[in-house]
Amino acid sequence: MGADSPVLLATVSLVSALQMGYFAWRAGLSRMGHKVLPPSVTGPPEFERTFRAHQNCVECYPVFLVTLWTCGMFFSDVTAAAGGLVYVIARQIYVNGYAKSTKKRLPAFYPTLAVFFTLSLLGLIGMLHGILHKYFHIHL
Amino acid sequence: MGADSPVLLATVSLVSALQMGYFAWRAGLSRMGHKVLPPSVTGPPEFERTFRAHQNCVECYPVFLVTLWTCGMFFSDVTAAAGGLVYVIARQIYVNGYAKSTKKRLPAFYPTLAVFFTLSLLGLIGMLHGILHKYFHIHL
Amino acid sequence: MGADSPVLLATVSLVSALQMGYFAWRAGLSRMGHKVLPPSVTGPPEFERTFRAHQNCVECYPVFLVTLWTCGMFFSDVTAAAGGLVYVIARQIYVNGYAKSTKKRLPAFYPTLAVFFTLSLLGLIGMLHGILHKYFHIHL
């Protein structure tokens, strides 16, 4: 395994994937606890909040993976992995908060956005470097 | 960064990820504009169309990423990136159209399917080449 | 194309992506067959089950891709690809079953979990090896 092996990015990806599995399991538990029979997705507010928190994570997850890997491959894998850990922690607080009340989802939503913004920007800088290098032979 | 660096595929991936973020933000704006309180996802038709347009993109997005990268890695990164740009533009027209009326979502849905079909087919051809080469030592 | 080319993982990814497209198309057919006009996602139980079966696959799919590739890159691509095929078959039976009745979704849900668990565990072992090797120069 060479020095350019993306083992840090892969580790953060797998941790976040396991977290997604945990959120799905939690929505399932809430479904059973509130006797909401599938395929229905409506029921008591507690269930709907837990369900919707998971859905929000489902919407965000591919975006997260793309920003994690583009930043990690074209800027710095350590920076990207650190951002990824912030994302995983923020999502945990987000889902915990949303399960309690709609308002409590917000404090941990902004760090999610900050991670997306930072990883995207750094990834974009790295990729512009790469494009200038590969297609225009310009080395900054 | 070597000549085989997938910088074009990464750039198209990041652009599409930012577009997904934009669609999510638009659904959020529509939610606020029509006073649809989370976790509810039902409300005035304008909100439901904007929300559902985003959901359709969420359903398509991982499929898009897989076809983009398999075509890009095993057939041609330039072809895949070009297909990816068509996808991003088609999704933009799709969401804009769906937000206006249910019928207006259709014209830009077919290009989405055409991109999936083309990238999958080219990727499949490239991967068959790869499998014949790697496991059967057949060089076409 | 070198011996380390992940052509098996890419092939399984593309097959699973095409399957996701098929599930989406099936939900669309069910929508038309039961005259459920978009953007509505509620209607007769048959439609709601087919729709929800697809949604469950949408929730699982990025998690599957991450476990497939981490196991494939850091443990064994043949093992990961075999697990991926089990996943694809299990999802097919899951969606077929769920479309018939809510209870019939369960038998094929457990193999899905078993694939996630196995691929994650093997990927984790492989990545721990990789981290010990790369950052601590420990070769087990």
mmCIF file of all heavy atoms in Angstrom, chain C residues 28-51:
data_model
loop_
_atom_site.group_PDB
_atom_site.id
_atom_site.type_symbol
_atom_site.label_atom_id
_atom_site.label_comp_id
_atom_site.label_asym_id
_atom_site.label_seq_id
_atom_site.Cartn_x
_atom_site.Cartn_y
_atom_site.Cartn_z
ATOM 1 N N GLY C 28 -42.264 4.332 -11.165
ATOM 2 C CA GLY C 28 -42.938 5.196 -12.135
ATOM 3 C C GLY C 28 -44.092 4.471 -12.821
ATOM 4 O O GLY C 28 -45.189 5.036 -12.985
ATOM 5 N N LEU C 29 -43.869 3.222 -13.202
ATOM 6 C CA LEU C 29 -44.928 2.407 -13.825
ATOM 7 C C LEU C 29 -46.110 2.241 -12.876
ATOM 8 O O LEU C 29 -47.274 2.365 -13.282
ATOM 9 C CB LEU C 29 -44.394 1.008 -14.163
ATOM 10 C CG LEU C 29 -43.734 0.781 -15.516
ATOM 11 C CD1 LEU C 29 -43.531 -0.719 -15.742
ATOM 12 C CD2 LEU C 29 -44.573 1.377 -16.649
ATOM 13 N N SER C 30 -45.788 1.957 -11.593
ATOM 14 C CA SER C 30 -46.830 1.756 -10.594
ATOM 15 C C SER C 30 -47.630 3.057 -10.417
ATOM 16 O O SER C 30 -48.862 3.032 -10.277
ATOM 17 C CB SER C 30 -46.201 1.318 -9.274
ATOM 18 O OG SER C 30 -47.178 1.214 -8.272
ATOM 19 N N ARG C 31 -46.904 4.187 -10.452
ATOM 20 C CA ARG C 31 -47.534 5.505 -10.358
ATOM 21 C C ARG C 31 -48.547 5.675 -11.493
ATOM 22 O O ARG C 31 -49.700 6.064 -11.260
ATOM 23 C CB ARG C 31 -46.427 6.565 -10.432
ATOM 24 C CG ARG C 31 -46.884 7.995 -10.343
ATOM 25 C CD ARG C 31 -45.702 8.933 -10.559
ATOM 26 N NE ARG C 31 -44.937 9.239 -9.358
ATOM 27 C CZ ARG C 31 -45.363 10.001 -8.360
ATOM 28 N NH1 ARG C 31 -46.564 10.524 -8.395
ATOM 29 N NH2 ARG C 31 -44.582 10.242 -7.323
ATOM 30 N N MET C 32 -48.123 5.380 -12.713
ATOM 31 C CA MET C 32 -49.009 5.535 -13.864
ATOM 32 C C MET C 32 -50.166 4.548 -13.786
ATOM 33 O O MET C 32 -51.316 4.906 -14.022
ATOM 34 C CB MET C 32 -48.219 5.345 -15.158
ATOM 35 C CG MET C 32 -47.298 6.525 -15.457
ATOM 36 S SD MET C 32 -46.671 6.512 -17.149
ATOM 37 C CE MET C 32 -45.548 5.102 -17.078
ATOM 38 N N GLY C 33 -49.838 3.288 -13.431
ATOM 39 C CA GLY C 33 -50.870 2.245 -13.372
ATOM 40 C C GLY C 33 -51.971 2.571 -12.375
ATOM 41 O O GLY C 33 -53.138 2.241 -12.593
ATOM 42 N N HIS C 34 -51.591 3.235 -11.253
ATOM 43 C CA HIS C 34 -52.588 3.571 -10.234
ATOM 44 C C HIS C 34 -53.027 5.023 -10.321
ATOM 45 O O HIS C 34 -53.683 5.533 -9.420
ATOM 46 C CB HIS C 34 -52.034 3.261 -8.830
ATOM 47 C CG HIS C 34 -51.869 1.796 -8.572
ATOM 48 N ND1 HIS C 34 -50.672 1.144 -8.778
ATOM 49 C CD2 HIS C 34 -52.751 0.850 -8.156
ATOM 50 C CE1 HIS C 34 -50.823 -0.133 -8.477
ATOM 51 N NE2 HIS C 34 -52.067 -0.343 -8.108
ATOM 52 N N LYS C 35 -52.651 5.681 -11.415
ATOM 53 C CA LYS C 35 -53.048 7.076 -11.659
ATOM 54 C C LYS C 35 -52.726 7.993 -10.472
ATOM 55 O O LYS C 35 -53.556 8.805 -10.061
ATOM 56 C CB LYS C 35 -54.545 7.142 -12.023
ATOM 57 C CG LYS C 35 -54.850 6.432 -13.360
ATOM 58 C CD LYS C 35 -56.273 6.689 -13.799
ATOM 59 C CE LYS C 35 -56.567 6.123 -15.179
ATOM 60 N NZ LYS C 35 -55.917 4.827 -15.502
ATOM 61 N N VAL C 36 -51.540 7.823 -9.885
ATOM 62 C CA VAL C 36 -51.067 8.728 -8.826
ATOM 63 C C VAL C 36 -50.278 9.842 -9.511
ATOM 64 O O VAL C 36 -49.186 9.605 -10.029
ATOM 65 C CB VAL C 36 -50.172 7.988 -7.813
ATOM 66 C CG1 VAL C 36 -49.689 8.944 -6.734
ATOM 67 C CG2 VAL C 36 -50.907 6.808 -7.203
ATOM 68 N N LEU C 37 -50.863 11.046 -9.561
ATOM 69 C CA LEU C 37 -50.226 12.131 -10.300
ATOM 70 C C LEU C 37 -49.087 12.754 -9.490
ATOM 71 O O LEU C 37 -49.271 13.074 -8.311
ATOM 72 C CB LEU C 37 -51.257 13.213 -10.645
ATOM 73 C CG LEU C 37 -52.366 12.766 -11.605
ATOM 74 C CD1 LEU C 37 -53.336 13.922 -11.868
ATOM 75 C CD2 LEU C 37 -51.763 12.275 -12.919
ATOM 76 N N PRO C 38 -47.897 12.941 -10.087
ATOM 77 C CA PRO C 38 -46.835 13.643 -9.392
ATOM 78 C C PRO C 38 -47.257 15.089 -9.149
ATOM 79 O O PRO C 38 -48.026 15.619 -9.942
ATOM 80 C CB PRO C 38 -45.659 13.581 -10.374
ATOM 81 C CG PRO C 38 -46.227 13.205 -11.696
ATOM 82 C CD PRO C 38 -47.540 12.545 -11.456
ATOM 83 N N PRO C 39 -46.793 15.737 -8.059
ATOM 84 C CA PRO C 39 -45.742 15.259 -7.152
ATOM 85 C C PRO C 39 -46.251 14.392 -6.007
ATOM 86 O O PRO C 39 -45.485 14.128 -5.087
ATOM 87 C CB PRO C 39 -45.184 16.580 -6.597
ATOM 88 C CG PRO C 39 -46.346 17.506 -6.565
ATOM 89 C CD PRO C 39 -47.210 17.126 -7.733
ATOM 90 N N SER C 40 -47.526 13.938 -6.039
ATOM 91 C CA SER C 40 -48.052 13.137 -4.927
ATOM 92 C C SER C 40 -47.288 11.820 -4.792
ATOM 93 O O SER C 40 -46.859 11.231 -5.789
ATOM 94 C CB SER C 40 -49.529 12.845 -5.155
ATOM 95 O OG SER C 40 -49.994 11.970 -4.162
ATOM 96 N N VAL C 41 -47.103 11.378 -3.561
ATOM 97 C CA VAL C 41 -46.453 10.084 -3.334
ATOM 98 C C VAL C 41 -47.321 9.190 -2.459
ATOM 99 O O VAL C 41 -46.850 8.221 -1.872
ATOM 100 C CB VAL C 41 -45.056 10.239 -2.696
ATOM 101 C CG1 VAL C 41 -44.112 10.923 -3.677
ATOM 102 C CG2 VAL C 41 -45.118 10.991 -1.392
ATOM 103 N N THR C 42 -48.638 9.555 -2.366
ATOM 104 C CA THR C 42 -49.562 8.703 -1.620
ATOM 105 C C THR C 42 -50.628 8.196 -2.578
ATOM 106 O O THR C 42 -50.957 8.849 -3.569
ATOM 107 C CB THR C 42 -50.218 9.475 -0.457
ATOM 108 O OG1 THR C 42 -50.718 10.724 -0.964
ATOM 109 C CG2 THR C 42 -49.217 9.759 0.645
ATOM 110 N N GLY C 43 -51.163 7.030 -2.277
ATOM 111 C CA GLY C 43 -52.158 6.423 -3.156
ATOM 112 C C GLY C 43 -52.498 5.030 -2.670
ATOM 113 O O GLY C 43 -52.370 4.742 -1.473
ATOM 114 N N PRO C 44 -52.925 4.147 -3.563
ATOM 115 C CA PRO C 44 -53.265 2.783 -3.173
ATOM 116 C C PRO C 44 -52.056 2.075 -2.550
ATOM 117 O O PRO C 44 -50.910 2.375 -2.913
ATOM 118 C CB PRO C 44 -53.640 2.111 -4.497
ATOM 119 C CG PRO C 44 -53.890 3.226 -5.457
ATOM 120 C CD PRO C 44 -53.053 4.374 -5.002
ATOM 121 N N PRO C 45 -52.307 1.149 -1.611
ATOM 122 C CA PRO C 45 -51.216 0.448 -0.919
ATOM 123 C C PRO C 45 -50.182 -0.155 -1.879
ATOM 124 O O PRO C 45 -48.990 -0.099 -1.595
ATOM 125 C CB PRO C 45 -51.936 -0.651 -0.127
ATOM 126 C CG PRO C 45 -53.308 -0.120 0.078
ATOM 127 C CD PRO C 45 -53.633 0.724 -1.104
ATOM 128 N N GLU C 46 -50.635 -0.720 -3.006
ATOM 129 C CA GLU C 46 -49.697 -1.320 -3.960
ATOM 130 C C GLU C 46 -48.681 -0.291 -4.439
ATOM 131 O O GLU C 46 -47.485 -0.571 -4.514
ATOM 132 C CB GLU C 46 -50.424 -1.903 -5.194
ATOM 133 C CG GLU C 46 -51.261 -3.119 -4.915
ATOM 134 C CD GLU C 46 -52.703 -2.728 -4.577
ATOM 135 O OE1 GLU C 46 -52.924 -1.603 -4.056
ATOM 136 O OE2 GLU C 46 -53.605 -3.548 -4.820
ATOM 137 N N PHE C 47 -49.178 0.903 -4.800
ATOM 138 C CA PHE C 47 -48.262 1.955 -5.232
ATOM 139 C C PHE C 47 -47.335 2.365 -4.097
ATOM 140 O O PHE C 47 -46.124 2.475 -4.284
ATOM 141 C CB PHE C 47 -49.029 3.187 -5.734
ATOM 142 C CG PHE C 47 -48.145 4.395 -5.834
ATOM 143 C CD1 PHE C 47 -47.173 4.479 -6.825
ATOM 144 C CD2 PHE C 47 -48.225 5.430 -4.903
ATOM 145 C CE1 PHE C 47 -46.313 5.573 -6.901
ATOM 146 C CE2 PHE C 47 -47.372 6.524 -4.968
ATOM 147 C CZ PHE C 47 -46.414 6.591 -5.962
ATOM 148 N N GLU C 48 -47.905 2.582 -2.909
ATOM 149 C CA GLU C 48 -47.080 3.065 -1.789
ATOM 150 C C GLU C 48 -45.985 2.071 -1.412
ATOM 151 O O GLU C 48 -44.882 2.464 -1.049
ATOM 152 C CB GLU C 48 -47.959 3.389 -0.569
ATOM 153 C CG GLU C 48 -48.830 4.614 -0.812
ATOM 154 C CD GLU C 48 -49.356 5.244 0.476
ATOM 155 O OE1 GLU C 48 -49.000 4.784 1.577
ATOM 156 O OE2 GLU C 48 -50.144 6.199 0.372
ATOM 157 N N ARG C 49 -46.295 0.770 -1.530
ATOM 158 C CA ARG C 49 -45.273 -0.229 -1.226
ATOM 159 C C ARG C 49 -44.152 -0.223 -2.270
ATOM 160 O O ARG C 49 -42.969 -0.283 -1.915
ATOM 161 C CB ARG C 49 -45.905 -1.633 -1.125
ATOM 162 C CG ARG C 49 -46.732 -1.834 0.152
ATOM 163 C CD ARG C 49 -46.921 -3.327 0.444
ATOM 164 N NE ARG C 49 -47.435 -4.021 -0.726
ATOM 165 C CZ ARG C 49 -48.730 -4.159 -1.022
ATOM 166 N NH1 ARG C 49 -49.638 -3.696 -0.218
ATOM 167 N NH2 ARG C 49 -49.092 -4.802 -2.113
ATOM 168 N N THR C 50 -44.540 -0.138 -3.551
ATOM 169 C CA THR C 50 -43.529 -0.114 -4.616
ATOM 170 C C THR C 50 -42.673 1.152 -4.501
ATOM 171 O O THR C 50 -41.444 1.104 -4.649
ATOM 172 C CB THR C 50 -44.207 -0.162 -6.009
ATOM 173 O OG1 THR C 50 -45.124 -1.252 -6.026
ATOM 174 C CG2 THR C 50 -43.183 -0.333 -7.113
ATOM 175 N N PHE C 51 -43.329 2.286 -4.213
ATOM 176 C CA PHE C 51 -42.612 3.551 -4.053
ATOM 177 C C PHE C 51 -41.655 3.470 -2.869
ATOM 178 O O PHE C 51 -40.476 3.834 -2.967
ATOM 179 C CB PHE C 51 -43.632 4.689 -3.835
ATOM 180 C CG PHE C 51 -42.981 6.018 -3.598
ATOM 181 C CD1 PHE C 51 -42.514 6.772 -4.655
ATOM 182 C CD2 PHE C 51 -42.822 6.515 -2.301
ATOM 183 C CE1 PHE C 51 -41.894 8.005 -4.428
ATOM 184 C CE2 PHE C 51 -42.206 7.732 -2.080
ATOM 185 C CZ PHE C 51 -41.744 8.478 -3.144
#
